[in-house]
Every structure is written in C-alpha cells, then in structure tokens.
Amino acid sequence: MKLRLGLTLLSVSLSLSISADRTFTNCPQAWFPNANSETFEQGLGVNIHFTDPQPGEMKMIAAAGFRWVRMDFKWDATERERGHYDFSAYDRLMQSLDQFKLRALFILDYGNPLYGTPPRTEFARQAFAGWAVAAAKHFANRGVTWEMYNEPNVPMFWPPRPNVDEYIVLALTVGRAFRVNVPTEKLIGPATSGIDFNFLEACFKAGLLDYWSAVSVHPYRRTNPEGAANEYCRLRQLIDRYHPRVGTQSVSDGSIVSTQSGSDGPSVSTASGSDRVIPIISGEWGFSSAWPRIDEAKQSALLTRELLTNAANDIPISIWYDWREDGTDTEDPEHHFGLVRNAYLPDHAQVYQPKPAYLATKTLTNFFRRYRFEQRLTVGSDQDYVLVFANGADRRIAAWTISTDAHRIAIPLAPGTFLITNHTGESTTSISANRQSLTIEVSTAPIYVRRDHAIAQ
C-alpha cells in the first residue's frame, strides 16, 4: 500500500477527466439502503505508515471522525529469527489506538527474507500462516480485523508478476489456520488493486469466501467516485453467486455468531460456512492532489463524494488513503494523497497542517454523525445526486452533481427554513422551501442541507 505504482499502471487506460456516471441504468440495485446499515461515521478509516505516532497525531485522526486505522503488519519486521515473533511495535500502536477508541485493520504482508518473497513454497506458506496465527492470538479479542495481503494482483507486491493461483494457496493456508486456531478473529481479503473481477472470481471459485468475513478491494480511479457503485453491485452479485448471503452460522466450536452490527462499530462476520452476509470493504482508496486536473480543493470534494458513495452503497468500512503527505515533492503524486501536510508542528494545537480534505472529512462526519443512509432522490438527471440520511424522524441531505456546469435543482421538501453548509464547513446560509420544494444550486463540490429547527415552522 505504500506506493501507488500498481494504481498508475492500472490507470493508464482511464481518462484523466471526470466521466459521466450511469448508475441508475446499469445497476438498479445500487444506491439502495441496507436495513441494518451503520450510522455514517462508524465505518470511516484512514491508512497510516507508522507504529509510533507523533504526540497529538492520533488525536487529530480521531478528531476528524475516523474510527479505523489501516496499517501494514509486516512479516519481515516481526519475525527476524525463524519461529520468534516480536510484536512490540504493534503493541505500542495498539495502545495509541485504544487511547482514542480507534480500531485496527492490520494487513498481513509481505514476504520475509527468511522464507522468500512472496511466500510461494509450502514451507514459506506454513511459516506465514504460523506467524499470522501468532499475531492474531497476541491481539485476540481487541477488535482487530486481519487482511490477507495487500494488492497481490500487482507486480510490486507479488513479484516478479502476480499469480492468482499462488495467492489462493497461501490464502487458503492462512484461512484454515485461522479457523482452527483463532476462529473468532476476523479475516478478510484479497485487497486487490482496483476491483479486479478476474482475480476476485478465481478466489471465490477456490472457496476463500468460506474463510473471509468480508471482501476487500481498492477502487482507485481518476474518474468519478460515483462510478464505483456499479462495480460494487457487480461484485456483490459475484459474491452471491459463490456464497449465498443469509443471517447467522455456527463456527467450528458449534456456537452461533451473528452477522448483525454491534454497538462498537461495523461488524464483519466471523462465521464460517455459507449462511452469512459477506460485505464489501473499501480497504484503500484516495485521490492525489498532485494528479493532473486535481488540486487540493478538488481532492476535498472527491473525498466527500467517495465516502458518501460508499455509505450509500452498503460499504460498512471505508479507508481513505492517505493520512499524511509522504513528502513535499510537488511533482510526485504519491506525496500528496494525504489529508494533512508532511511537516510535524510540535508547538501547534494541530500538530499537522490540515489540507482542505481534512476539513472536508471533519465537516462530513460532524454533519452526518448518528445518521444512516435512507435513499437517493430522483431529481431529474442521473448526474445529480441527492442523498438522504435519517436519524429517527430527522433528515439531512447531501447534494452535488457530476456535471461540470453548476445548476439549480428542486428537492421535494415540506415548507420551512433550511441551513446550507458547504463540504468544508466554511459557510452556512439559510434558504426557505416553498410549498412543494427547496431549490438549491449544485456543483461538483457537495453541499449539506438540514432543517432549521430553531425557527418555528
């Protein structure tokens, strides 16, 4: 996950412009709520690249509204002598996460010079599985989700070239070891670069859905984030084909494990067998503010639209790549996926300087905290997005368009006064709805709408 070379190769065939979305016509099942969906903020997370945060860093991550942190759990860094494991660096990280009630999504990666990179012999596979089980036991019952490798479908992470059959054998070895030794710990995969349907279907055919609690993908693109809805729909149909989705199932000790959500955040089922729901996780996805035609302002709008798209398409966990900038080279896109700048500022209240994307995240999570996605309203054009979120009887709305031309739309709302907030939280205005609708102007940067309950209706 550290470098986006795999993404760069994949995106050669993609347009650098923002393309039109065809969600309604291509997949009528997209943009529909799940009756058991989480509140908006419970599934948001961010990628990091450290085990020892700077003082004040985790506070900033939590203050933005994130509940999850995704981090490499490196084999070569934790097993430097065969059969001897040192998880102390991750103990320190977990202590930092616990302080701010953040949960860990740890990636079981990559190779190890003691055994080979990637682990493609039986000896190496067994060693990898033994190490993975030891890690899961060490952190058992602490809410960790374990991810089976990172982007095994790109040469950078599975050298010299991807081999789905090799990956499948390794993943099955780890899955079986988890089932026997740590049956209640959550294992997900395969964390593909893009939504690689050929790679994913090969994994499903081989039976990996029997061991995974969720399917993780990295839906990177330089096109509209809303286009992922169609791909999620197609992937969900593929999961259904190979693994029926029902309610609960007994694990190996005979106990029943529910797939329903818990109060501590989105749950990914630990159940084995076919009688369970297998959700899709957006395990890594971001937009670099150094990509052509994307600056920091556009990055903040695309982040907002990405997270709203995931929330409205039954994605229980959404991990943004990346937390902080990896460097200061203005020509290197990898340096500019971050939400905050690279320099540490120990004497400041915010120890990293926020980019607009950080402000957008904080505004989004504050506005929709404790709200669940309810519906997408049809307002005339497939290019216009009006998403309704509910908290009891109260409703809040996110609205934007993928059209490059800002224009006005009419939202069917009862008469009253409404407050309008932009996606970075910098301005709020009020506007009144007539007896039939509320008319607002939408652009590619979302705005948020809520009824002003302080004014008598």
Side-chain angles (χ1 to χ4, degrees):
M1 96 184 174
K2 185 64 174 70
L3 297 174
R4 299 266 51 82
L5 176 60
L7 168 62
T8 303
L9 295 173
L10 278 174
S11 63
V12 168
S13 62
L14 295 177
S15 167
L16 294 182
S17 63
I18 303 301
S19 65
D21 176 74
R22 298 177 178 275
T23 299
F24 277 9
T25 57
N26 287 357
C27 185
Q29 290 79 31
W31 307 96
F32 277 83
N34 183 325
N36 299 311
S37 64
E38 302 291 339
T39 57
F40 183 86
E41 76 285 356
Q42 287 181 295
L44 301 187
V46 66
N47 275 282
I48 63 171
H49 303 302
F50 53 81
T51 53
D52 293 293
Q54 295 283 6
E57 186 162 22
M58 285 301 177
K59 181 180 180 180
M60 278 194 76
I61 291 176
F66 292 114
R67 298 288 187 89
W68 290 83
V69 162
R70 181 176 183 261
M71 170 62 185
D72 294 294
F73 198 97
K74 296 197 69 185
W75 189 15
D76 61 356
T78 50
E79 186 182 352
R80 293 188 171 92
E81 181 181 348
R82 287 184 176 179
H84 295 273
Y85 310 119
D86 179 5
F87 302 129
S88 57
Y90 294 92
D91 285 327
R92 296 193 302 273
L93 177 57
M94 285 294 289
Q95 289 174 359
S96 299
L97 297 179
D98 289 345
Q99 183 180 355
F100 293 97
K101 298 182 180 180
L102 296 166
R103 299 179 66 180
L105 196 164
F106 284 146
I107 319 157
L108 297 167
D109 60 21
Y110 291 100
N112 189 319
L114 299 173
Y115 303 100
T117 302
R120 53 169 44 98
T121 67
E122 180 61 20
F123 179 66
R125 287 191 291 267
Q126 293 297 332
F128 186 100
W131 159 77
V133 165
K137 285 183 175 180
H138 185 83
F139 293 105
N141 303 313
R142 296 186 66 180
V144 175
T145 291
W146 300 93
E147 189 168 38
M148 184 52 223
Y149 224 80
N150 177 68
E151 299 189 351
N153 61 326
V154 298
M156 174 180 290
F157 302 118
W158 198 278
R161 63 189 60 85
N163 186 314
V164 68
D165 294 328
E166 289 180 343
Y167 172 80
I168 285 169
V169 176
L170 176 64
L172 286 170
T173 302
V174 173
R176 290 163 182 154
F178 261 59
R179 177 168 295 176
V180 170
N181 297 283
V182 282
T184 60
E185 293 298 299
K186 300 177 178 70
L187 182 66
I188 67 175
T192 56
S193 177
I195 303 182
D196 186 337
F197 289 99
N198 290 334
F199 195 99
L200 290 159
E201 185 167 15
C203 291
F204 301 166
K205 282 183 178 178
L208 280 169
L209 292 177
D210 289 339
Y211 301 95
W212 288 342
S213 301
V215 172
S216 60
V217 292
H218 300 170
Y220 283 104
R221 64 203 60 224
R222 299 194 195 187
T223 53
N224 283 318
E226 296 82 4
N230 281 329
E231 296 173 40
Y232 290 146
C233 185
R234 178 180 168 192
L235 177 55
R236 196 165 283 117
Q237 291 168 352
L238 197 63
I239 293 170
D240 287 344
R241 184 188 313 166
Y242 290 97
H243 208 90
R245 304 170 74 208
V246 196
T248 59
Q249 176 65 30
S250 62
V251 295
S252 56
D253 64 359
S255 60
I256 297 296
V257 180
S258 172
T259 64
Q260 300 300 314
S261 303
S263 59
D264 60 348
S267 70
V268 237
S269 171
T270 57
S272 62
S274 62
D275 244 12
R276 63 198 170 98
V277 173
I278 302 178
I280 300 166
I281 286 175
S282 177
E284 182 183 328
W285 185 8
F287 291 83
S288 172
S289 56
W291 275 348
R293 305 187 189 182
I294 298 180
D295 56 16
E296 290 188 357
K298 183 169 283 188
Q299 181 195 42
S300 71
L302 289 169
L303 172 147
T304 304
R305 288 162 52 185
E306 173 190 316
L307 297 180
L308 286 165
T309 294
N310 283 349
N313 284 277
D314 199 19
I315 306 300
I317 298 176
S318 299
I319 307 292
W320 171 265
Y321 186 94
D322 200 5
W323 161 235
R324 59 168 127 111
E325 309 249 273
D326 287 343
T328 58
D329 184 347
T330 58
E331 302 300 318
D332 187 347
E334 176 60 27
H335 285 190
H336 299 286
F337 281 88
L339 300 176
V340 296
R341 306 200 191 285
N342 178 261
Y344 179 60
L345 307 171
D347 298 325
H348 289 64
Q350 291 185 310
V351 295
Y352 288 97
Q353 183 182 355
K355 293 171 61 180
Y358 181 87
L359 300 177
T361 305
K362 196 168 184 178
T363 301
L364 182 67
T365 56
N366 284 338
F367 194 88
F368 290 108
R369 181 171 285 112
R370 295 185 293 276
Y371 284 73
R372 291 177 170 82
F373 174 64
E374 183 176 73
Q375 63 177 317
R376 176 184 174 185
L377 298 179
T378 302
V379 291
S381 171
D382 285 357
Q383 292 191 330
D384 298 332
Y385 289 80
V386 178
L387 306 186
V388 180
F389 292 79
N391 178 7
D394 197 29
R395 301 291 183 271
R396 293 190 173 187
I397 289 172
W400 72 95
T401 183
I402 61 175
S403 170
T404 55
D405 296 321
H407 56 275
R408 299 179 73 78
I409 61 172
I411 303 175
L413 290 171
T417 301
F418 293 84
L419 300 176
I420 311 295
T421 302
N422 71 13
H423 77 287
T424 52
E426 294 169 346
S427 65
T428 300
T429 60
S430 63
I431 188 170
S432 297
N434 61 29
R435 286 185 291 180
Q436 294 181 331
S437 63
L438 177 72
T439 300
I440 59 172
E441 181 171 276
V442 290
S443 70
T444 55
I447 58 172
Y448 308 137
V449 181
R450 65 181 176 90
R451 187 177 292 275
D452 188 352
H453 294 289
I455 298 178
Q457 305 301 320

